[in-house]
Amino acid sequence: MGNDIEDKAVLLVPYAEAMQGEAVRDYPEAYKRWCRDNAETIDRRWSEGKANPYFIEHNREVYQKIVDGYDFEKDMVSTGNGGNKPPKDNATALGGDGDDGGVDGERRRRIEEHRNQYERIIESHYWDGLVFDDETGGYVVAHRDHNFAHTKPKGAILTGGEAEKEVAKLLAALGKQIKLLSERLPQSKKPADMEFDGLTWDVKYIPTANEETIRKYIRDGRKADCVIFYAGHKNRKADIASAYHRELGRANKQRGGLPKIYFINTEGILEGIKKPPE
């Protein structure tokens, strides 16, 4: 995996915020799996005197317990004091019971701010609310002129619209505020699919797409800042990278720009595809 560990961790920050200073029964399975899968790189970076993502640096004891197979559910570990005390109740775990200070209180306030934001948006006549995640403050709203495709790619399980919703909900579960945008524009000005983190994103569902089709999707994605490829439980990273690198060569010759390329991996984490070395 080399030095791209922070790129692979781009959407794990909400898990880190959930970890710091609050009593928990267990950690998200995707986060634990990520720690175990990347343990060799994390340990090597420490041995070389290099830093790891802050949510690993600030929680070394938790990280070590995860890679050692510690049973958090059984002992209900409280990372706030390093002991084995269970939370008093769900309110305590979310910063309640009169405790509004520290990281935990800030997390709770941020979730409430996002809830208020979500409710204000869907009060209008233009947006429908699809989901609000109480654990992360992530949400998905869809403009009423957003078009969810009903066609299903050959050999695929989902329609294009179902895949788009699934991607949006995965991102919301990781704390992202997703807007699925209006498509009521002339075809020549077709907008991106969604917006979050101040960027526009196109979603491409590619469970069976060949490399040429992926290249076409990359070119089509130039209307957005970024493109997210999604293939469900299939690992298409190598195919996406190959298509992107080939398309970069074409774009460089024609002096044209390309969007940044990402994909949802088989663990539900957003990864970026890097440019090849010069």
Side-chain angles (χ1 to χ4, degrees):
M1 187 174 61
N3 291 328
D4 64 346
I5 188 168
E6 292 187 356
D7 290 340
K8 288 195 171 188
V10 66
L11 286 183
L12 287 172
V13 172
Y15 292 167
E17 292 169 346
M19 289 166 62
Q20 298 184 44
E22 77 175 81
V24 296
R25 293 179 182 275
D26 203 351
Y27 297 95
E29 190 57 40
Y31 178 79
K32 293 191 292 185
R33 191 184 307 117
W34 186 89
C35 288
R36 292 191 293 267
D37 289 349
N38 294 285
E40 182 178 346
T41 299
I42 292 169
D43 292 343
R44 185 181 70 247
R45 287 175 68 87
W46 274 331
S47 69
E48 294 172 351
K50 298 178 181 178
N52 279 298
Y54 80 86
F55 51 85
I56 297 295
E57 291 287 346
H58 295 176
N59 295 279
R60 292 197 183 200
E61 181 181 352
V62 171
Y63 159 76
Q64 194 60 55
K65 287 181 176 180
I66 287 172
V67 298
D68 289 343
Y70 193 84
D71 190 341
F72 291 95
E73 182 74 25
K74 179 178 179 181
D75 289 334
M76 295 186 289
V77 173
S78 167
T79 59
N81 58 20
N84 295 319
K85 298 178 182 178
K88 295 179 182 178
D89 51 33
N90 290 336
T92 305
L94 288 174
D97 199 27
D99 179 14
D100 291 326
V103 174
D104 187 38
E106 178 59 31
R107 173 174 172 264
R108 178 172 177 159
R109 284 190 291 272
R110 187 170 58 254
I111 289 173
E112 288 306 309
E113 286 174 5
H114 290 158
R115 185 191 304 279
N116 292 336
Q117 185 182 72
Y118 173 76
E119 291 175 351
R120 284 196 302 271
I121 292 171
I122 62 178
E123 281 175 359
S124 78
H125 297 294
Y126 303 105
W127 299 90
D128 291 321
L130 299 187
V131 66
F132 184 88
D133 192 295
D134 293 318
E135 295 298 318
T136 67
Y139 61 74
V140 182
V141 294
H143 196 281
R144 292 184 179 178
D145 288 329
H146 185 86
N147 178 40
F148 291 104
H150 298 292
T151 56
K152 185 181 294 186
K154 185 177 180 179
I157 298 173
L158 305 174
T159 66
E162 289 169 340
E164 191 176 18
K165 289 179 181 178
E166 192 161 304
V167 168
K169 289 176 181 179
L170 280 169
L171 295 171
L174 292 168
K176 300 297 181 182
Q177 290 74 48
I178 310 299
K179 283 186 173 182
L180 297 171
L181 303 173
S182 169
E183 298 183 47
R184 196 171 183 177
L185 289 172
Q187 187 63 28
S188 60
K189 296 182 179 179
K190 189 176 185 299
D193 292 321
M194 64 174 61
E195 179 181 86
F196 66 91
D197 286 353
L199 299 170
T200 56
W201 304 71
D202 239 20
V203 178
K204 304 297 184 183
Y205 182 42
I206 57 161
T208 58
N210 60 31
E211 187 171 307
E212 288 305 314
T213 299
I214 296 173
R215 291 184 67 180
K216 177 180 178 295
Y217 285 161
I218 291 172
R219 293 193 296 271
D220 179 63
R222 286 179 294 184
K223 62 181 177 286
D225 299 310
C226 312
V227 175
I228 299 176
F229 285 100
Y230 181 60
H233 296 296
K234 294 184 178 182
N235 184 356
R236 302 296 309 275
K237 179 178 181 178
D239 299 323
I240 299 166
S242 176
Y244 178 46
H245 295 165
R246 288 180 62 193
E247 200 58 30
L248 273 174
R250 186 200 65 81
N252 289 337
K253 289 179 182 178
Q254 297 183 7
R255 298 179 181 274
L258 291 177
K260 294 181 179 179
I261 304 300
Y262 294 83
F263 70 100
I264 302 286
N265 68 19
T266 55
E267 298 174 356
I269 302 300
L270 189 69
E271 288 191 34
I273 300 290
K274 289 191 170 185
K275 294 182 178 180
E278 296 291 341

